[in-house]
Every structure is written in C-alpha cells, then in structure tokens.
Amino acid sequence: MKFYSTIPLHKIFFLALCLVLFSSFLLEAQTNATTSSPYSRFALGRPENTGFSAILAQGGSYTAFQNDSVAPFYINQGNPASYSYNKLTTYEFGARYGFYQYTDSQNGLVKKQNGGFNYISFAFPIKRNMGAAFGLLPFSNVGYDVTTYENVDQIGQIKNSYQGSGGINQVYGGFAMRPFEKVLRNFSKSKTCDTLRKQGKYKVVKRKKFILKSLSSLSVGTNVSFMYATINYATRKYFPANFGSVFNTKDFTETQMHDVYFQGGAQMSFDIDSIGKHNLKKNIKITVGYSASLPKDMAVNVTHMSCNFSQGSYGNELNFDTFSYQPNYKGKIHLPLMHSFGIGIKRGESFSMLLDAGIQQWSKFSFLGDNQNLRDQYRFSVGMQYLPSRNAIGTGAYFKRTM
C-alpha cells in the first residue's frame, strides 16, 4: 500500500496560483503593524512564534513534531525534516489577533489591539520518502507608539514620541528526505536475515530490526528562505507652543533588507513494544529532533535623516532645515545561531506529548555593529494531546475526536 501520491503538473500550477493570490492579501495586511508591543523597539522587533496552529496549540513544541498516519493534515515549518512524512497535499493559512495592555508612569494603563493575516503554506509528498513545502510567513514584527513627557527648566514641557513599524517577512521553500528508508526492507528480505532465523538467533534479528527501523526513520531537511524587510523608526520632540514649531526635531531611520536565510533539521524515531519480558498493549513511539537556523550576516540598506519640522493646519508635517541625511548606507545585520532540541512521545493513536528546549544566541546579534546589550533567549515548552477516539462517528463523535 502506498502512502504517497504523485502531484500532476496542473495541480502544482494551481498551488502556485493560490500562493500568489493569498500572498497579495498577506503582504497588504503586513504593511500595517501586527504588534503593539513597546519591546518591539529592540533588535529586529518582536520575533514571531515558530510553528503554525497545531504546534502553537501544543505549547509551541515543534522540533520532534511529525504528521501521523491517522490525521496527516499539518505542516511543521519549524523543523523541515518533518516534510518527508507528508502523506497528503496540504495547505494551511492563519490569521492572528493581539490584545496588548501595559502600564507606564506617565500614561497609566494603555490598551491596544490589532490583527490580520499571518501565514500561508503548502506541503506535498514527492515520493514515499520525500516531501516538500513552501509558503510565506513573518519572521519578526515592529509596531509601537510610545509618548513620554519631560519638564525642562526655562522651556517647559517637551513631548517625546517614539514610533516604529514594519518587520521581516520570509518566503520559504523546503525539502526533506529519508535517505535510509529502504534499509529495513532490504534486511528483512536478505539472506543474512534468513540465516539468523534458521540459526534460532531471533534476539539478534529483533535487535538488528530495531536499529535498522530507527535508521530508516531518519529524516533530514532544509528550508531556504528569502528574507525581505522594511523597518521604520522615528523619534520626535515637540516643544511648547510658545516656542513655535521651529525647534521640533525628528530623527528617522528606514532599514531595508533582502537576503537569503538557511535552516536545517533532523528527526529520528524508534518504537518500544515491550519492557523486559512484558509486551505493551500499545506501542510507544519516541521521536527525537534537532533544528537549527545558522548564523548569517544579512545585507541591509539604511537611510537616516534628522531635521526640524513644523505641523500644518491639518496636522501634517512640513520638514525643513535638514541637518543630517545619509541615504542608502550599506551595512550588515548579524543574525545569531538559533537551535532547538525536542522529544516526542506517542502511545497508540490517542496520547502524545512533546517537549522542546531552544536557545537563541541574541548576545551575538548586531545591528550595524551595535549589539544593543541583548541577552540569549532560552525556551522550554511542553505540549500534550489526548484523543479519546480518532475514528469515532455518530452522536458526540466531534468531542471524541477533538484534542
């Protein structure tokens, strides 16, 4: 029985057309800020969570996540090694909504909300042991609007405005394969296996099958992403009205980025059907995974301008007396190593658990040579799923098949 299907060429064109259509909506939605966090002012903004809806529902544990044989409808972009387990052509898109609430000493309680399209992705099998995926999703988001006030002797109250918008998006394509997928079948049909059985060495056969089955499950994969971004930062100072508007100052920076980014991963599984002399009623499947995004120097173009400005009768800004202007300054952003380790435990078709640990070395990040005093990020996540009956039908079947 085959668990894969060949995709006709016209369906590939259909998938590509769907990606173009949905990406046009997604790109339009991402021109607006999809976060309202003042912490997105630092580094490249607020990093987006890795993984789509099914993974986020399990605490964001993605490194050892694989599609199973009963419901193979998910895409694990976080670890490209999972693509080789694609059994069906699958597409997924998502939207997000955020509600933010924070307090500062000058403005008190501040509430903000936003939302929109978030990602779109397609995955499909190529052969029994190969799969691929492509899609469009955000890498980070910048969106903040913070106002502070300061009292200066002989001047009065000065209003400071800090604003940021934009973010980094990525178009990715990925491929994975299980290079040793046939080793178990080849051994089972070999003369060596027959000889061992005839000699009564069943434990040796069982041990070799266990090792070869684990080796045949080894999957390796990679994502290649085209990263593009436009990030705007603006700082304004408004002086009291009795001084006029000639002292109002604005410092504006626009960063544009277009570069390629690489990610790789691996997964391996093995089954436990007995403990000692006791056979288990339900096999336990253990999956281990590793995923890494390699360090990368990303080329950027930066435009910086500082000037005085006045406000028109309709609130529009009128720039004058530019005292600093640097167009298309070329530089580098260093993205650090980001990697994660994961373990998945599955018992039968009802219970599964995922555990993840990740490290992002932001202490080695630099933006045009500035580290911004960032620290490394450590992530630990756990997710569990229990389905009373995956194949339930009839009255109440929905709740029996719901996580």
Side-chain angles (χ1 to χ4, degrees):
M1 179 178 180
K2 293 184 177 180
F3 292 93
Y4 65 93
S5 62
T6 303
I7 303 177
L9 188 60
H10 70 275
K11 290 189 177 182
I12 294 292
F13 288 141
F14 173 75
L15 292 176
L17 178 61
C18 289
L19 178 63
V20 171
L21 292 176
F22 275 106
S23 64
S24 64
F25 289 105
L26 187 61
L27 289 173
E28 182 178 356
Q30 289 181 341
T31 57
N32 299 318
T34 54
T35 182
S36 296
S37 170
Y39 296 104
S40 66
R41 180 186 180 193
F42 303 101
L44 299 174
R46 188 183 71 101
E48 286 294 315
N49 294 320
T50 300
F52 300 153
S53 58
I55 292 171
L56 295 179
Q58 298 191 68
S61 302
Y62 61 87
T63 314
F65 181 90
Q66 286 182 351
N67 275 322
D68 57 33
S69 59
V70 178
F73 308 124
Y74 307 115
I75 302 173
N76 180 8
Q77 177 270 341
N79 189 344
S82 64
Y83 302 154
S84 69
Y85 288 92
N86 293 337
K87 303 297 189 298
L88 300 172
T89 299
T90 305
Y91 69 91
E92 183 175 351
F93 67 93
R96 62 171 297 165
Y97 169 79
F99 177 77
Y100 303 85
Q101 180 174 297
Y102 54 91
T103 304
D104 64 47
S105 58
Q106 296 186 348
N107 299 309
L109 181 64
V110 178
K111 299 180 180 180
K112 292 184 179 294
Q113 57 183 339
N114 50 49
F117 284 102
N118 195 34
Y119 65 83
I120 181 171
S121 184
F122 295 86
F124 51 91
I126 299 175
K127 289 185 177 181
R128 182 187 179 97
N129 65 328
M130 298 181 188
F134 61 94
L136 177 66
L137 69 157
F139 181 84
S140 69
N141 276 298
V142 176
Y144 63 89
D145 188 349
V146 178
T147 301
T148 63
Y149 299 89
E150 59 179 321
N151 292 311
V152 181
D153 293 340
Q154 300 180 350
I155 294 179
Q157 189 179 72
I158 297 177
K159 174 183 174 182
N160 298 304
S161 173
Y162 307 93
Q163 294 178 321
S165 63
I168 301 176
N169 302 310
Q170 53 181 328
V171 178
Y172 80 93
F175 171 80
M177 68 177 298
R178 300 195 302 277
F180 309 111
E181 191 259 347
K182 295 182 179 180
V183 294
L184 178 61
R185 296 201 302 273
N186 292 339
F187 173 75
S188 299
K189 298 176 182 179
S190 66
K191 293 182 179 179
T192 301
C193 185
D194 290 337
T195 301
L196 290 172
R197 285 198 184 100
K198 291 177 181 179
Q199 294 175 351
K201 297 181 179 180
Y202 297 108
K203 289 186 178 181
V204 176
V205 173
K206 185 177 181 180
R207 184 166 59 250
K208 283 183 173 291
K209 282 190 172 183
F210 176 83
I211 295 173
L212 293 177
K213 186 175 182 180
S214 300
L215 182 62
S216 66
S217 72
L218 174 64
S219 179
V220 292
T222 183
N223 281 333
V224 180
S225 300
F226 175 70
M227 310 276 276
Y228 61 98
T230 298
I231 303 175
N232 296 319
Y233 298 102
T235 301
R236 295 174 175 84
K237 282 184 174 292
Y238 299 87
F239 283 78
N242 58 306
F243 276 80
S245 60
V246 295
F247 293 102
N248 294 343
T249 60
K250 177 172 66 174
D251 190 87
F252 175 82
T253 301
E254 179 184 79
T255 302
Q256 293 185 337
M257 181 180 73
H258 303 87
D259 215 323
V260 178
Y261 192 55
F262 298 94
Q263 177 191 18
Q267 291 180 335
M268 177 182 283
S269 303
F270 55 92
D271 292 330
I272 300 176
D273 57 11
S274 63
I275 299 178
K277 297 181 179 180
H278 302 283
N279 293 325
L280 300 177
K281 293 182 179 179
K282 295 182 179 180
N283 289 0
I284 296 176
K285 178 182 178 182
I286 297 178
T287 302
V288 294
Y290 175 74
S291 177
S293 297
L294 301 178
K296 171 73 173 178
D297 287 329
M298 313 288 281
V300 295
N301 289 331
V302 180
T303 296
H304 177 263
M305 181 183 70
S306 297
C307 65
N308 294 110
F309 71 95
S310 62
Q311 289 185 291
S313 56
Y314 295 100
N316 55 309
E317 293 183 359
L318 303 174
N319 297 333
F320 66 92
D321 194 14
T322 299
F323 46 85
S324 176
Y325 181 62
Q326 293 179 301
N328 296 321
Y329 173 78
K330 297 186 182 300
K332 297 286 185 180
I333 293 176
H334 179 74
L335 289 180
L337 174 65
M338 306 179 194
H339 55 158
S340 64
F341 307 83
I343 299 176
I345 303 172
K346 183 180 178 182
R347 184 174 183 270
E349 296 294 344
S350 298
F351 175 80
S352 63
M353 175 183 288
L354 293 167
L355 302 94
D356 254 30
I359 303 172
Q360 298 183 2
Q361 297 179 338
W362 288 104
S363 61
K364 297 183 179 181
F365 167 84
S366 65
F367 183 91
L368 302 179
D370 181 14
N371 172 255
Q372 300 186 359
N373 295 319
L374 300 180
R375 297 183 179 181
D376 293 343
Q377 181 186 48
Y378 300 90
R379 176 183 60 84
F380 300 94
S381 59
V382 178
M384 282 194 305
Q385 173 179 281
Y386 176 71
L387 303 183
S389 177
R390 285 181 179 267
N391 301 315
I393 58 174
T395 305
Y398 171 79
F399 296 100
K400 293 181 181 180
R401 289 185 282 108
T402 303
M403 296 183 187

